[in-house]
Amino acid sequence: MHQTPAAPAPGPSAPGALPDTPAAPDDREIETLAEFDALVARGGTLAHHRFQAVDLTGRTQVLLAAQTEGAVFLGCPMTPEAAARVRARGALVFPPVPGLPFDPYRGAVYTPDELFAGLAGGYDSTPDARAYAWFQRTKADGDIFSSMLRAVHDDAVSDALDELLAGQRVVGVMGGHAMARGTDAYAGAARLGRSLARAGLTVATGGGPGAMEAANLGAYAAPFPDGMLDEALQLLGGTPSFAPSVTDWADAAFAVRAAWPGGGPSVGIPTWFYGHEPPNAFASHVAKYFANATREDGLLARSTAGVVFLPGAAGTVQEIFDNATPNYYGSRGEPTPMVLVDRAHWTEDLPAWPLLRALARDRAMESRIALVDRIDDASDALKRLGD
């Protein structure tokens, strides 16, 4: 029987949490009820603050008495009386939108437990699948309201992701979704994720199956003895792919998490644009987007400690040169390391390496690119390029 994953408790003690960045006393973005109450307790005014997806239905008396000039309430449930009063005192109120399978004003990135809630009833019943179904219905109908909701959601996710990754050394791991569990390549990608996480880096991937899942799995395995990863790989190998059943594929991942709870943190940045690719359950933090272009550029831009490119197809080739362009022009500052894995793949099958090397010649990025034969060499190469 499929088991519905239980959501972890929020806060710094939650498994897979990245180090918290507490809100500063003068932080004007309020994203939790605890932050709201702390603001009120220290006698702070609500004026000119931004309140994001905070349920304020139990704070009516506070809202009736508060100064709210210039405040903005984004998707905050409140009583009609409170909403009318804060508007009358100069606040802008964007009410919650009923009937959506997602919150466009959300103040935090997703968790796998949130996206896969209800998996016991089959993947199609989960919030992740329902959000994709909504996207499919609305993406081509020309409705400006739907497109606005998608844009607001993606901007909220970007804001939450920036807050999550503040001060982190992030390394991106790119690779194709077709890499099957149970293969040597998948095991190698998992070892890479573990090595990077143990080196103190935050692993970020495209958040989907295949190589992406493997790298997130490796980061999840980082706190455990080495044998844990070997056992997890064996368990996952019984369900090699998300086809034909996403439900069975996800169940296998949650079974690994249940057997070894409290794994290490990492980030997945997937998209509903590729709805046939479900997110993986090993990324503790999932920044999922509707707009793939926003997602891809954001993933690469946030990989400040460099990017490892595993063998892939068109999507991975695109990511190589999406990353090479700002490194070439220096538009994001100093070039970041780029490590391509599998010499035959990147020089013969899809010869991206010769072009990348030609672009880098006599540029600052020339000393920040490397091609390695084996995936087990990628972590050392990344460290060498970053020194």
Side-chain angles (χ1 to χ4, degrees):
M1 178 179 294
H2 302 309
Q3 298 296 314
T4 302
S13 61
L18 290 170
D20 283 349
T21 304
D26 59 349
D27 189 349
R28 294 191 176 274
E29 283 190 15
I30 304 299
E31 296 163 343
T32 68
L33 190 59
E35 290 177 0
F36 179 89
D37 289 342
L39 174 63
V40 173
R42 63 177 178 262
T45 176
L46 305 188
H48 303 289
H49 282 71
R50 277 75 176 108
F51 303 90
Q52 193 172 344
V54 181
D55 189 344
L56 298 175
T57 51
R59 300 296 185 270
T60 297
Q61 295 307 312
V62 173
L63 293 171
L64 292 179
Q67 294 299 317
T68 59
E69 179 184 1
V72 180
F73 294 86
L74 299 167
C76 297
M78 62 182 76
T79 64
E81 181 185 14
R85 179 64 65 88
V86 299
R87 283 193 184 99
R89 290 183 171 174
L92 188 61
V93 177
F94 291 80
V97 181
L100 290 178
F102 62 93
D103 182 358
Y105 306 113
R106 61 181 300 114
V109 298
Y110 295 93
T111 66
D113 306 87
E114 182 180 2
L115 290 171
F116 283 106
L119 185 63
Y123 172 68
D124 287 346
S125 67
T126 65
D128 186 67
R130 290 189 288 113
Y132 175 62
W134 177 88
F135 180 40
Q136 288 294 96
R137 290 195 305 272
T138 62
K139 69 179 182 180
D141 64 8
D143 182 0
I144 191 172
F145 183 57
S146 295
S147 63
M148 182 196 75
L149 290 173
R150 293 194 295 270
V152 169
H153 169 274
D154 286 2
D155 189 66
V157 167
S158 289
D159 181 64
L161 185 58
D162 284 338
E163 292 171 355
L164 175 73
L165 295 178
Q168 301 296 310
R169 296 174 62 230
V170 180
V171 58
V173 179
M174 310 297 162
H177 70 270
M179 183 184 288
R181 295 168 172 174
T183 63
D184 290 342
Y186 185 96
R191 290 194 303 272
L192 172 64
R194 183 177 64 182
S195 174
L196 295 171
R198 286 178 173 176
L201 298 166
T202 297
V203 173
T205 77
M212 297 170 280
E213 180 189 54
N216 288 127
L217 166 63
Y220 186 89
F224 298 100
D226 288 357
M228 173 269 174
L229 182 57
D230 296 332
E231 293 183 56
L233 290 169
Q234 185 173 2
L235 288 172
L236 293 171
T239 314
S241 173
F242 61 93
S245 173
V246 174
T247 305
D248 291 346
W249 175 84
D251 269 344
F254 280 107
V256 168
R257 286 183 37 178
W260 293 278
S266 66
V267 176
I269 307 181
T271 175
W272 281 295
F273 183 81
Y274 296 132
H276 62 287
E277 294 184 17
N280 76 72
F282 293 111
S284 55
H285 303 84
V286 184
K288 191 152 190 179
Y289 289 86
F290 289 106
N292 185 51
T294 304
R295 165 251 189 177
E296 284 201 344
D297 183 70
L299 171 55
L300 293 167
R302 291 176 176 88
S303 296
T304 52
V307 183
V308 177
F309 298 91
L310 303 178
T316 310
V317 172
Q318 177 180 339
E319 288 161 350
I320 288 173
F321 292 103
D322 280 348
N323 196 54
T325 300
N327 279 348
Y328 179 88
Y329 289 111
S331 54
R332 293 182 186 144
E334 286 295 314
T336 52
M338 299 177 65
V339 178
L340 278 60
V341 176
D342 192 329
R343 187 176 303 274
H345 184 81
W346 294 122
T347 61
E348 298 172 17
D349 300 339
L350 295 173
W353 173 253
L355 179 53
L356 178 64
R357 188 171 58 177
L359 279 173
R361 189 175 298 122
D362 298 327
R363 312 286 296 194
M365 66 182 286
E366 187 172 18
S367 62
R368 295 296 185 95
I369 64 172
L371 174 66
V372 298
D373 292 308
R374 302 183 313 120
I375 196 168
D376 291 332
D377 297 328
S379 185
D380 287 342
L382 186 73
K383 183 178 184 301
R384 184 176 67 253
L385 297 179
D387 287 342

